[in-house]
Amino acid sequence: MSSNTDVSLSSYDEDQGPKLIQKAKEAPFVPIGMAGFAAIVVYGLNKLKSRGNTKMSVHLIHMRVAAQGFVVGTMTLGMGYSMYKEFWVKPKP
Protein backbone atom coordinates (compact mmCIF):
# COMPACT_ATOMS: atom_id res chain seq x y z
CA MET A 1 0.00 0.00 0.00
CA SER A 2 1.66 3.17 -1.17
CA SER A 3 0.63 6.47 0.31
CA ASN A 4 1.17 9.69 -1.52
CA THR A 5 2.27 12.31 1.00
CA ASP A 6 2.90 14.97 -1.64
CA VAL A 7 -0.28 16.98 -1.04
CA SER A 8 -0.75 20.10 -3.08
CA LEU A 9 -1.63 23.02 -0.85
CA SER A 10 -1.92 25.57 -3.64
CA SER A 11 -5.61 26.11 -2.92
CA TYR A 12 -4.76 26.95 0.68
CA ASP A 13 -2.00 29.36 -0.30
CA GLU A 14 -4.30 31.74 -2.20
CA ASP A 15 -4.65 35.22 -0.80
CA GLN A 16 -8.04 36.20 0.50
CA GLY A 17 -7.76 39.67 -1.05
CA PRO A 18 -8.28 38.65 -4.69
CA LYS A 19 -11.05 36.28 -3.66
CA LEU A 20 -12.85 39.10 -1.80
CA ILE A 21 -12.44 41.45 -4.77
CA GLN A 22 -13.89 38.82 -7.12
CA LYS A 23 -16.87 38.24 -4.83
CA ALA A 24 -17.40 42.01 -4.53
CA LYS A 25 -17.55 42.29 -8.32
CA GLU A 26 -20.10 39.47 -8.49
CA ALA A 27 -22.30 40.93 -5.74
CA PRO A 28 -21.44 44.61 -5.21
CA PHE A 29 -24.09 45.19 -2.55
CA VAL A 30 -22.53 42.75 -0.06
CA PRO A 31 -19.51 44.97 0.78
CA ILE A 32 -21.84 47.99 0.89
CA GLY A 33 -24.02 46.20 3.44
CA MET A 34 -21.00 45.16 5.49
CA ALA A 35 -19.60 48.71 5.47
CA GLY A 36 -22.96 50.18 6.44
CA PHE A 37 -23.34 47.69 9.26
CA ALA A 38 -19.87 48.57 10.58
CA ALA A 39 -20.61 52.30 10.28
CA ILE A 40 -23.84 51.98 12.25
CA VAL A 41 -22.08 49.96 14.95
CA VAL A 42 -19.32 52.59 15.26
CA TYR A 43 -21.93 55.37 15.35
CA GLY A 44 -23.87 53.51 18.04
CA LEU A 45 -20.77 53.04 20.17
CA ASN A 46 -19.93 56.73 19.89
CA LYS A 47 -23.51 57.72 20.68
CA LEU A 48 -23.45 55.41 23.72
CA LYS A 49 -21.54 58.04 25.71
CA SER A 50 -24.17 60.73 25.18
CA ARG A 51 -27.36 58.70 25.33
CA GLY A 52 -28.76 60.77 28.22
CA ASN A 53 -31.26 59.00 30.44
CA THR A 54 -32.11 56.31 27.86
CA LYS A 55 -31.63 52.80 29.15
CA MET A 56 -28.68 50.89 27.74
CA SER A 57 -30.89 48.02 26.56
CA VAL A 58 -33.18 50.37 24.61
CA HIS A 59 -30.19 52.05 22.99
CA LEU A 60 -28.67 48.71 21.98
CA ILE A 61 -31.98 47.48 20.57
CA HIS A 62 -32.33 50.64 18.47
CA MET A 63 -28.79 50.25 17.11
CA ARG A 64 -29.37 46.57 16.33
CA VAL A 65 -32.59 47.35 14.47
CA ALA A 66 -30.87 50.13 12.50
CA ALA A 67 -27.95 47.89 11.54
CA GLN A 68 -30.18 44.99 10.55
CA GLY A 69 -32.49 47.30 8.63
CA PHE A 70 -29.57 48.67 6.66
CA VAL A 71 -28.32 45.19 5.79
CA VAL A 72 -31.77 43.92 4.80
CA GLY A 73 -32.37 47.04 2.70
CA THR A 74 -29.04 46.58 0.95
CA MET A 75 -29.79 42.91 0.30
CA THR A 76 -33.17 43.88 -1.16
CA LEU A 77 -31.55 46.45 -3.45
CA GLY A 78 -28.98 43.86 -4.48
CA MET A 79 -31.64 41.32 -5.35
CA GLY A 80 -33.57 43.92 -7.31
CA TYR A 81 -30.42 44.90 -9.18
CA SER A 82 -29.56 41.30 -10.05
CA MET A 83 -33.14 40.64 -11.19
CA TYR A 84 -33.01 43.78 -13.33
CA LYS A 85 -29.77 42.66 -14.93
CA GLU A 86 -31.03 39.13 -15.52
CA PHE A 87 -34.54 39.76 -16.80
CA TRP A 88 -34.77 43.28 -18.23
CA VAL A 89 -31.37 44.12 -19.62
CA LYS A 90 -30.90 42.64 -23.05
CA PRO A 91 -27.39 41.35 -23.74
CA LYS A 92 -25.50 43.19 -26.43
CA PRO A 93 -24.81 41.08 -29.53
Side-chain angles (χ1 to χ4, degrees), residues 3 10 12-13 18-20 24 28-29 32 42 46 55-56 62-63 70-71 82 89:
S3 66
S10 64
Y12 297 112
D13 293 337
K19 223 184 244 188
L20 182 63
F29 287 94
I32 294 170
V42 168
N46 285 335
K55 284 185 175 181
M56 169 96 63
H62 287 168
M63 289 299 108
F70 185 86
V71 171
S82 67
V89 175

Side-chain angles (χ1 to χ4, degrees), residues 3-76:
S3 66
N4 187 2
T5 58
D6 184 27
V7 177
S8 175
L9 297 176
S10 64
S11 64
Y12 297 112
D13 293 337
E14 293 179 12
D15 282 340
Q16 295 299 319
K19 223 184 244 188
L20 182 63
I21 291 171
Q22 179 186 3
K23 291 291 183 181
K25 286 180 183 176
E26 291 173 5
F29 287 94
V30 172
I32 294 170
M34 290 169 45
F37 179 82
I40 290 172
V41 168
V42 168
Y43 172 77
L45 290 174
N46 285 335
K47 192 80 171 164
L48 191 63
K49 294 183 274 188
S50 64
R51 63 184 154 88
N53 60 357
T54 305
K55 284 185 175 181
M56 169 96 63
S57 61
V58 172
H59 177 75
L60 293 175
I61 288 171
H62 287 168
M63 289 299 108
R64 179 183 63 90
V65 168
Q68 285 179 334
F70 185 86
V71 171
V72 168
T74 306
M75 288 172 54
T76 303

Side-chain angles (χ1 to χ4, degrees), residues 72-89:
V72 168
T74 306
M75 288 172 54
T76 303
L77 286 174
M79 287 299 296
Y81 177 71
S82 67
M83 287 173 56
Y84 173 76
K85 279 190 349 185
E86 185 175 341
F87 295 113
W88 286 289
V89 175

